[in-house]
Amino acid sequence: MRTFIGASLLAVLTAAAVMAQEGDFGLGGLSVKNMGSAGTAPVPVSAPQTAVSSPEHRLNESRKALSAVNSSRGDDTDARLYKDTDMAIKAYEYCFPGTRVSYKDPQNFASIRFYMNSGSAKFNPDGAQTRRVEQALDAILAANPPQARVIFEALIAAGGNVTLAMGSLAEIFCNKRARYLPHVRDMDYAQGKNYYRFAGMFIGLHPAVVRAAGGSAAYGNIVGNPIVYAGAEIVQWWGKVFAGGGTGSGVDTLHTMGPDGNGNLVDKIPELNKGMNAAARLRKTRNTGL
């Protein structure tokens, strides 16, 4: 493990903005690659001892560094979601030396029942954690944070539990999409269905059997929703026919299933896949035990 090249993380923020896109951004002057897959926290030998031992100092360093990540809506892919999550994990473990993130979901049978509720995305049963995430994000929205900073704040609020942090983000970005999405500067607007990426990450950070069941349930929910919406339109259409002989208007099944409709398969499925794929990368590169 390399030591600090400089005395402080703040000295490398300018370079970090360029290096982040290439995976060379890291805390304490270290690259993400060189920090190690386990996310071992660097020990700044040349920094003042008070700065090294202060959690507040490390939190401030990490928040400034993650806010300087140079990414854009144009590279909003599953690879970047993985990279942003990995950076957030490394930052969390840097802030709390000796602490490692966790992935355990304490809910019975890993919350299979919550997968069927992906429309409202209530995956984290700890409402207090979700409220803390929401308060943290509300406080930084004006600064237009990048996705990496958003994930980091969720990790802090969830006490380092990556899985439940993703569950909280899914719920928040579902309920407050109109408020949040315009302010996350590198998150492409997927017709407001961006929360499915966090749902996909939540599902993907469970054991294999649960991933399979949860993924199937989520896809079933996504496909079923537009069918229900379209079916409701058709029932209303026939109701008008039998009631008064007129057909009225408003039945457009293709529109309902498209990006501008209530069902919207076009955006939901790619966003869910983005989260599932990012989780698969995380499982492969980190010691998740999953």
Side-chain angles (χ1 to χ4, degrees):
M1 180 63 63
R2 296 183 183 177
T3 57
F4 265 106
I5 295 175
S8 169
L9 176 66
L10 302 181
V12 298
L13 288 180
T14 303
V18 176
M19 293 159 64
Q21 289 182 315
E22 300 175 357
D24 290 330
F25 163 75
L27 297 168
L30 296 173
S31 71
V32 166
K33 298 172 185 174
N34 292 331
M35 289 179 70
S37 60
T40 304
V43 180
V45 297
S46 58
Q49 185 61 34
T50 54
V52 176
S53 60
S54 168
E56 291 78 12
H57 178 82
R58 288 173 178 267
L59 281 168
N60 288 336
E61 281 189 323
S62 297
R63 283 174 168 139
K64 289 179 181 179
L66 291 172
S67 295
V69 168
N70 184 16
S71 51
S72 68
R73 298 180 192 275
D75 67 346
D76 187 12
T77 63
D78 55 53
R80 217 212 45 232
L81 177 57
Y82 156 73
K83 185 184 296 184
D84 287 348
T85 304
D86 192 56
M87 280 194 292
I89 290 172
K90 286 181 169 73
Y92 180 87
E93 294 180 345
Y94 167 79
C95 290
F96 305 99
T99 301
R100 295 293 174 264
V101 296
S102 62
Y103 302 88
K104 183 179 177 64
D105 181 355
Q107 300 168 89
N108 291 334
F109 201 54
S111 311
I112 286 293
R113 63 193 180 93
F114 286 96
Y115 297 138
M116 292 304 294
N117 197 28
S118 60
S120 59
K122 291 185 177 180
F123 299 125
N124 186 350
D126 191 330
Q129 287 186 357
T130 300
R131 286 190 295 273
R132 286 199 296 271
V133 178
E134 187 173 350
Q135 290 169 357
L137 297 186
D138 284 344
I140 63 174
L141 280 183
N144 296 319
Q147 180 173 249
R149 173 74 188 276
V150 167
I151 296 172
F152 176 72
E153 296 299 339
L155 269 179
I156 295 292
N161 188 306
V162 183
T163 306
L164 296 184
M166 293 299 168
S168 290
L169 287 174
E171 181 176 350
I172 293 169
F173 275 83
C174 175
N175 293 336
K176 302 183 76 172
R177 68 193 79 175
R179 172 167 164 73
Y180 278 30
L181 290 176
H183 291 285
V184 182
R185 66 172 181 258
D186 56 359
M187 187 180 287
D188 192 27
Y189 183 72
Q191 295 295 322
K193 306 304 180 183
N194 304 67
Y195 62 96
Y196 273 93
R197 71 180 62 189
F198 299 121
M201 282 284 279
F202 175 82
I203 294 170
L205 294 176
H206 282 84
V209 174
V210 179
R211 291 199 303 270
S216 297
Y219 286 117
N221 180 277
I222 289 172
V223 173
N225 275 344
I227 293 174
V228 170
Y229 286 125
E233 291 177 350
I234 292 170
V235 169
Q236 291 173 357
W237 188 86
W238 280 108
K240 292 177 181 178
V241 171
F242 287 115
T247 60
S249 61
V251 178
D252 189 345
T253 303
L254 290 178
H255 177 272
T256 297
M257 294 188 178
D260 297 322
N262 289 329
N264 187 0
L265 298 180
V266 175
D267 292 295
K268 287 180 178 179
I269 290 178
E271 285 293 301
L272 184 70
N273 287 340
K274 185 179 293 182
M276 296 281 282
N277 292 339
R281 288 175 181 239
L282 203 66
R283 294 196 312 270
K284 183 177 180 180
T285 59
R286 289 192 151 264
N287 184 25
T288 63
L290 302 171

